[in-house]
Amino acid sequence: MKKFNFRKVLDGLTASSPGSGSSSGSNSGGAGSGSVHPGGTAGVLREGIQESLISECFQICKTVRHGFPYQPTALAFDPVQKILAIGTRTGAIRILGRPGVDCYCQHESGAAVLQLQFLINEGALVSASSDDTLHLWNLRQKRPAILHSLKFNRERITYCHLPFQSKWLYVGTERGNTHIVNIESFILSGYVIMWNKAIELSTKTHPGPVVHLSDSPRDEGKLLIGYENGTVVFWDLKSKRAELRVYYDEAIHSIDWHHEGKQFMCSHSDGSLTLWNLKSPSRPFQTTVPHGKSQREGRKSESCKPILKVEYKTCRNSEPFIIFSGGLSYDKACRRPSLTIMHGKAITVLEMDHPIVEFLTLCETPYPNEFQEPYAVAVLLEKDLIVVDLTQTNFPIFENPYPMDIHESPVTCTAYFADCPPDLILVLYSIGVKHKKQGYSNKEWPVSGGAWNLGAQTYPEIIITGHADGTIKFWDASAMTLQMLYKLKTSKVFEKQKVGDGKQTCEIVEEDPFAVQMIYWCPESRIFCVSGVSAYVIIYKFSRHEITAEIVSLEVRLQCDVEDIITPEPETSPPFPDLSSQLPSSRSLSGSTNTVSSEGVTKDSIPCLSVKTRPVRMPPGYQADLVIQLVWVDGEPPQQITSLAVSSAYGIVAFGNCTGLVVVDFIQKTVLLSMGTIDLYRSSDLYQRQPRSPRKNRQFIAGLTELNDSPVPLELERCKSPTSETRENSYNRSRSSSISSIDKDSKEAITALYFMESFARKNDSTVSPCLFVGTSLGMVILISLNLPSSDEQRFTEPVVVLPSGTFLSLKGAVLTFSCMDRTGNLMQPPYEVWRDPNNTDENEKTWKRKLVMNYSSSSQEMGDHQYTIICSEKQAKVFSLPSQTCLYVHNITETSFILQADVVVMCNSACLACFCANGHIMIMSLPSLRPMLDVNYLPLTDMRIARTFCFTNEGQALYLVSPTEIQRLTYSQEMCDNIQDMLGDLFTPIETPEAQNRGFLKGLFGGSGQTFDREELFGEASAGKASRSLAQHIPGPGSIEGMKGAAGGVMGELTRARIALDERGQRLGELEEKTAGMMTSAEAFSKHAHELMLKYKDKKWYQF
């Protein structure tokens, strides 16, 4: 007999059903995007509620970026200001100082940063990009801006060098030429050192790109030029000729001077270091292969890996430091990247966790012609930044005050809490500080520049990140900073997986089986809940005391008959299971033991992971209270969890997936409800559950990443880890609570859950505990929770969970819920006041549960009502309960869909914040849903943003902008106005250290560098103008602002002038001392000459 789908018939009757109060509202207006449709009684309610928010309260603005700079390429350090700059492959620059001083700026072109050079103690930075452009950044303002840019048209930049206290920048190119740029005007000088002039005329080959430029510490008029093929030229700038040339048969990677300017050291591609003396340039003064095997006399040393960089730093009271990266022997292929420190005869190899990008030796003096006195080495790795203490013999590293380890394991989800209870940060820190790593240097972090104060924003903020290895990190995000508070390892509740036992453990993901998918935290009750990719939920309670206890676990069998959904037949059993089947005594729970089918082939009733059965020691902090696992059903693995909610007041946790809904009592450790989504409707199924073509072909707008279902089989799709590469490029809607959608086989997923005291039915006169359930088909189901009346009965009497028969509908998957009282104030879900579950105090044993219900007694009166706000991926609706009347509808988007929506509080008023897949951030007032803000902020380029974007109170939001960085932003006009006060100052007026006294004779005969005038040599008057086609000057967008704030106002200018006068006075004082010394010598000579004259005055010539 042909099957007949009677739900199509019922679909036409939904408008007259009791739960379809929203239908008329949603159909009463047009289909245009962003339209608001008030219901019939909306005018009366709108008069009773005064909405204080206006559009002028909102503005989008990025605030601060935390984490490690993604894909770093360059490093620079200002030894006077003590600030550090890191450039990246994406054109970003991060400038770091003392904690709180953390600035992010971006090149508009997005070209990779090749090199960074500070104008030492000048508040400026030069960056060289891969698009052959130089940029001058003004750091004398809180948000650095580009003052000038210089674009090279015919040559590619390979190396830059800016001498200390010079305004002329040397630029080496790929062709081997060296150009000179005036930093003040950012105009190219006519003085050029051509490669064919630098090398000997008899040389037949090109020397290669310029890999090094530096002026002689002894004589500023001499420039050392290193070419890639092994040629080094010592160029006399005045005479415009090569004073000497050095040739070596191995390629050069880097060069560094001895501070006296008589020797320099080169690192080569064969793992060798050569030391050259200017007096004998024909061959190296010394050649060493530090990591090469010793050979017999007369034989060449064994080649090693290239030494990519070497630094040669001298000390007054000890042997010099020779520090280099690379150079390991080829036979040690498995060794990790290393930094080698040679100090005298001692050689120390520091192995790194990641490849070395760049390193810099931090020295006491900025003058290149003095003893350098190195005290630390900053090492920039591909995924970390470390600083090594050189003052201690064991070379410990400094404790990094920046949050550089956000990506220690890939971030899979985030949560943001603003204005949380103030004691939480101190409590979490006091627990977390006990587990900090030891062995750091006892000295303070050397990057200590800049200035920072708390500013006006003082409320506590906490960010929580979930990671692929199952760890949870709590961060203090107050006052624009980010500091680690506490780390929780959720994988510790499970047994370790043995290698090769993947089939026996029934894992549903190939890697990262403990990856965190969703987190739910109640700061007031300190209940913390986490769901993982392997279909489990863990409930944690906070305690200050260590305990040893067994972990209680429940296994839940959640299945849904797909055939009944597609082609329903008359059922012999009622669609809603008997209440007795939901009681704990009737449930088939197997604790933490696995049951296998009799055939031994089909996996059935087996969880994906094994919970530890032995007693587990739990340190102070969050301790596992209950583990709930979904099990395999008839050979099918459990579906990943798509929604999660916890109520500490009710003692209930609820979670759902594309199969159905589970409700668990975590006080009595029993399952209250476990059924398929279809069964929640009872016999009143309002929706036809057939595959809908628009769902399967949904795509991003403007050619962005596709959102349609991939051709990968569903079984393989379930096995993908949330940290896999596919996760970044495809849109798996069942992975996140806020972006869930239906599956290929037409299952209706549970996408949103919400506990609240509300009106479950139309005829209710008082509020009662309810659970709002939202689905991927836009349906909202209200479930009534019947709790025992007394506190004592709550621990023994069962909780009854029943669908109320109330249904509401929207377009698109439901994302979030919230409730407002009749006066328009946002209602918070009830919660239980925290108390330590392991407290041994006698008074605590008799302590009763203290509940905060968050509603006034007047709300219990007859005829009272509340507003329920529901937002889906397409629209938002406001219902009046218990009448279930749809008061307001706002069709947010027609061409795209919402990824994240939250009801937040700003300026003591509630509003609805949405982030759309087309990059728009939209804010609507409540309850009227009037649009307050719609800004095209950020196009969704990958799944990382969709997975981690979250809003919070006080006008703040965040998302993971790269795999290693968190970007925070604000949508508050007030915070945008005050952002300058919250950010740190990069530049602070500091006097340049005095140069060491060189002495009269050394100053007189030590070289001609003191009298070298670069302006006379490189200026337009003598060098002429450079060719216009060679480079193009581009005024920067911050040039006008930079001129205004270049020195931080009038006071900054006065300070700078005073420092300049002091330096001039110092030079005049030195000149006066020299003059006085010469006068004294002259007087002595005159006196001696006079004595000789008197002695021989009366003698005849023959008497001599």
Side-chain angles (χ1 to χ4, degrees), residues 416-430:
Y416 192 6
F417 299 86
D419 204 10
C420 52
D423 61 328
L424 271 178
I425 291 178
L426 183 60
V427 168
L428 290 170
Y429 177 79
S430 64

PDB file of all heavy atoms in Angstrom, residues 416-430:
ATOM      1  N   TYR A 416      32.770  34.603  27.036  1.00  0.00           N
ATOM      2  CA  TYR A 416      33.198  35.920  27.507  1.00  0.00           C
ATOM      3  C   TYR A 416      32.201  36.403  28.553  1.00  0.00           C
ATOM      4  O   TYR A 416      30.993  36.429  28.296  1.00  0.00           O
ATOM      5  CB  TYR A 416      33.254  36.867  26.308  1.00  0.00           C
ATOM      6  CG  TYR A 416      33.948  38.196  26.540  1.00  0.00           C
ATOM      7  CD1 TYR A 416      34.607  38.489  27.727  1.00  0.00           C
ATOM      8  CD2 TYR A 416      33.948  39.169  25.547  1.00  0.00           C
ATOM      9  CE1 TYR A 416      35.236  39.699  27.914  1.00  0.00           C
ATOM     10  CE2 TYR A 416      34.583  40.384  25.710  1.00  0.00           C
ATOM     11  CZ  TYR A 416      35.227  40.644  26.899  1.00  0.00           C
ATOM     12  OH  TYR A 416      35.848  41.845  27.086  1.00  0.00           O
ATOM     13  N   PHE A 417      32.702  36.792  29.734  1.00  0.00           N
ATOM     14  CA  PHE A 417      31.849  37.232  30.830  1.00  0.00           C
ATOM     15  C   PHE A 417      32.355  38.578  31.338  1.00  0.00           C
ATOM     16  O   PHE A 417      33.472  38.671  31.866  1.00  0.00           O
ATOM     17  CB  PHE A 417      31.859  36.214  31.976  1.00  0.00           C
ATOM     18  CG  PHE A 417      31.355  34.853  31.578  1.00  0.00           C
ATOM     19  CD1 PHE A 417      32.211  33.917  31.022  1.00  0.00           C
ATOM     20  CD2 PHE A 417      30.018  34.515  31.743  1.00  0.00           C
ATOM     21  CE1 PHE A 417      31.752  32.673  30.639  1.00  0.00           C
ATOM     22  CE2 PHE A 417      29.552  33.269  31.358  1.00  0.00           C
ATOM     23  CZ  PHE A 417      30.423  32.348  30.809  1.00  0.00           C
ATOM     24  N   ALA A 418      31.545  39.624  31.142  1.00  0.00           N
ATOM     25  CA  ALA A 418      31.885  40.952  31.632  1.00  0.00           C
ATOM     26  C   ALA A 418      31.037  41.263  32.866  1.00  0.00           C
ATOM     27  O   ALA A 418      29.889  40.835  32.977  1.00  0.00           O
ATOM     28  CB  ALA A 418      31.641  42.000  30.555  1.00  0.00           C
ATOM     29  N   ASP A 419      31.630  42.007  33.762  1.00  0.00           N
ATOM     30  CA  ASP A 419      30.955  42.408  35.009  1.00  0.00           C
ATOM     31  C   ASP A 419      30.520  41.182  35.809  1.00  0.00           C
ATOM     32  O   ASP A 419      29.395  41.109  36.304  1.00  0.00           O
ATOM     33  CB  ASP A 419      29.750  43.303  34.700  1.00  0.00           C
ATOM     34  CG  ASP A 419      29.394  44.187  35.893  1.00  0.00           C
ATOM     35  OD1 ASP A 419      30.201  44.226  36.839  1.00  0.00           O
ATOM     36  OD2 ASP A 419      28.335  44.814  35.873  1.00  0.00           O
ATOM     37  N   CYS A 420      31.442  40.205  35.926  1.00  0.00           N
ATOM     38  CA  CYS A 420      31.139  39.004  36.710  1.00  0.00           C
ATOM     39  C   CYS A 420      31.460  39.268  38.180  1.00  0.00           C
ATOM     40  O   CYS A 420      32.038  40.306  38.527  1.00  0.00           O
ATOM     41  CB  CYS A 420      31.935  37.815  36.170  1.00  0.00           C
ATOM     42  SG  CYS A 420      33.688  38.113  36.011  1.00  0.00           S
ATOM     43  N   PRO A 421      31.086  38.368  39.108  1.00  0.00           N
ATOM     44  CA  PRO A 421      31.352  38.585  40.540  1.00  0.00           C
ATOM     45  C   PRO A 421      32.824  38.914  40.780  1.00  0.00           C
ATOM     46  O   PRO A 421      33.717  38.206  40.288  1.00  0.00           O
ATOM     47  CB  PRO A 421      30.954  37.249  41.169  1.00  0.00           C
ATOM     48  CG  PRO A 421      29.897  36.710  40.270  1.00  0.00           C
ATOM     49  CD  PRO A 421      30.293  37.140  38.885  1.00  0.00           C
ATOM     50  N   PRO A 422      33.112  39.978  41.545  1.00  0.00           N
ATOM     51  CA  PRO A 422      34.496  40.460  41.665  1.00  0.00           C
ATOM     52  C   PRO A 422      35.435  39.491  42.377  1.00  0.00           C
ATOM     53  O   PRO A 422      36.645  39.540  42.162  1.00  0.00           O
ATOM     54  CB  PRO A 422      34.349  41.768  42.454  1.00  0.00           C
ATOM     55  CG  PRO A 422      33.028  41.667  43.137  1.00  0.00           C
ATOM     56  CD  PRO A 422      32.156  40.851  42.257  1.00  0.00           C
ATOM     57  N   ASP A 423      34.910  38.615  43.240  1.00  0.00           N
ATOM     58  CA  ASP A 423      35.794  37.720  43.988  1.00  0.00           C
ATOM     59  C   ASP A 423      36.288  36.546  43.143  1.00  0.00           C
ATOM     60  O   ASP A 423      37.217  35.841  43.539  1.00  0.00           O
ATOM     61  CB  ASP A 423      35.080  37.200  45.230  1.00  0.00           C
ATOM     62  CG  ASP A 423      33.821  36.409  44.881  1.00  0.00           C
ATOM     63  OD1 ASP A 423      33.187  36.751  43.864  1.00  0.00           O
ATOM     64  OD2 ASP A 423      33.483  35.468  45.609  1.00  0.00           O
ATOM     65  N   LEU A 424      35.675  36.317  41.983  1.00  0.00           N
ATOM     66  CA  LEU A 424      36.017  35.135  41.193  1.00  0.00           C
ATOM     67  C   LEU A 424      37.454  35.177  40.685  1.00  0.00           C
ATOM     68  O   LEU A 424      38.146  34.144  40.667  1.00  0.00           O
ATOM     69  CB  LEU A 424      35.059  34.999  40.007  1.00  0.00           C
ATOM     70  CG  LEU A 424      33.784  34.198  40.256  1.00  0.00           C
ATOM     71  CD1 LEU A 424      32.923  34.190  39.021  1.00  0.00           C
ATOM     72  CD2 LEU A 424      34.114  32.786  40.681  1.00  0.00           C
ATOM     73  N   ILE A 425      37.905  36.336  40.249  1.00  0.00           N
ATOM     74  CA  ILE A 425      39.253  36.434  39.692  1.00  0.00           C
ATOM     75  C   ILE A 425      40.286  36.082  40.743  1.00  0.00           C
ATOM     76  O   ILE A 425      41.225  35.307  40.494  1.00  0.00           O
ATOM     77  CB  ILE A 425      39.485  37.839  39.113  1.00  0.00           C
ATOM     78  CG1 ILE A 425      38.621  38.037  37.853  1.00  0.00           C
ATOM     79  CG2 ILE A 425      40.958  38.070  38.796  1.00  0.00           C
ATOM     80  CD1 ILE A 425      38.736  39.391  37.222  1.00  0.00           C
ATOM     81  N   LEU A 426      40.127  36.616  41.945  1.00  0.00           N
ATOM     82  CA  LEU A 426      41.073  36.317  43.021  1.00  0.00           C
ATOM     83  C   LEU A 426      41.026  34.846  43.408  1.00  0.00           C
ATOM     84  O   LEU A 426      42.070  34.214  43.623  1.00  0.00           O
ATOM     85  CB  LEU A 426      40.772  37.200  44.238  1.00  0.00           C
ATOM     86  CG  LEU A 426      41.720  37.056  45.425  1.00  0.00           C
ATOM     87  CD1 LEU A 426      43.147  37.406  45.013  1.00  0.00           C
ATOM     88  CD2 LEU A 426      41.275  37.944  46.578  1.00  0.00           C
ATOM     89  N   VAL A 427      39.819  34.270  43.436  1.00  0.00           N
ATOM     90  CA  VAL A 427      39.672  32.861  43.808  1.00  0.00           C
ATOM     91  C   VAL A 427      40.345  31.965  42.776  1.00  0.00           C
ATOM     92  O   VAL A 427      41.104  31.044  43.116  1.00  0.00           O
ATOM     93  CB  VAL A 427      38.181  32.511  43.963  1.00  0.00           C
ATOM     94  CG1 VAL A 427      37.987  31.009  44.054  1.00  0.00           C
ATOM     95  CG2 VAL A 427      37.609  33.187  45.193  1.00  0.00           C
ATOM     96  N   LEU A 428      40.076  32.218  41.497  1.00  0.00           N
ATOM     97  CA  LEU A 428      40.661  31.390  40.446  1.00  0.00           C
ATOM     98  C   LEU A 428      42.180  31.549  40.392  1.00  0.00           C
ATOM     99  O   LEU A 428      42.912  30.582  40.178  1.00  0.00           O
ATOM    100  CB  LEU A 428      40.048  31.743  39.094  1.00  0.00           C
ATOM    101  CG  LEU A 428      38.581  31.331  38.894  1.00  0.00           C
ATOM    102  CD1 LEU A 428      38.025  31.941  37.620  1.00  0.00           C
ATOM    103  CD2 LEU A 428      38.448  29.823  38.859  1.00  0.00           C
ATOM    104  N   TYR A 429      42.654  32.771  40.602  1.00  0.00           N
ATOM    105  CA  TYR A 429      44.102  32.991  40.576  1.00  0.00           C
ATOM    106  C   TYR A 429      44.791  32.268  41.728  1.00  0.00           C
ATOM    107  O   TYR A 429      45.861  31.674  41.546  1.00  0.00           O
ATOM    108  CB  TYR A 429      44.409  34.481  40.629  1.00  0.00           C
ATOM    109  CG  TYR A 429      45.885  34.787  40.669  1.00  0.00           C
ATOM    110  CD1 TYR A 429      46.659  34.736  39.512  1.00  0.00           C
ATOM    111  CD2 TYR A 429      46.521  35.104  41.867  1.00  0.00           C
ATOM    112  CE1 TYR A 429      48.013  34.996  39.542  1.00  0.00           C
ATOM    113  CE2 TYR A 429      47.878  35.367  41.911  1.00  0.00           C
ATOM    114  CZ  TYR A 429      48.616  35.315  40.747  1.00  0.00           C
ATOM    115  OH  TYR A 429      49.964  35.573  40.786  1.00  0.00           O
ATOM    116  N   SER A 430      44.198  32.323  42.906  1.00  0.00           N
ATOM    117  CA  SER A 430      44.815  31.684  44.067  1.00  0.00           C
ATOM    118  C   SER A 430      44.924  30.175  43.881  1.00  0.00           C
ATOM    119  O   SER A 430      45.846  29.542  44.394  1.00  0.00           O
ATOM    120  CB  SER A 430      44.009  32.013  45.330  1.00  0.00           C
ATOM    121  OG  SER A 430      42.703  31.473  45.235  1.00  0.00           O
TER     122      SER A 430
END
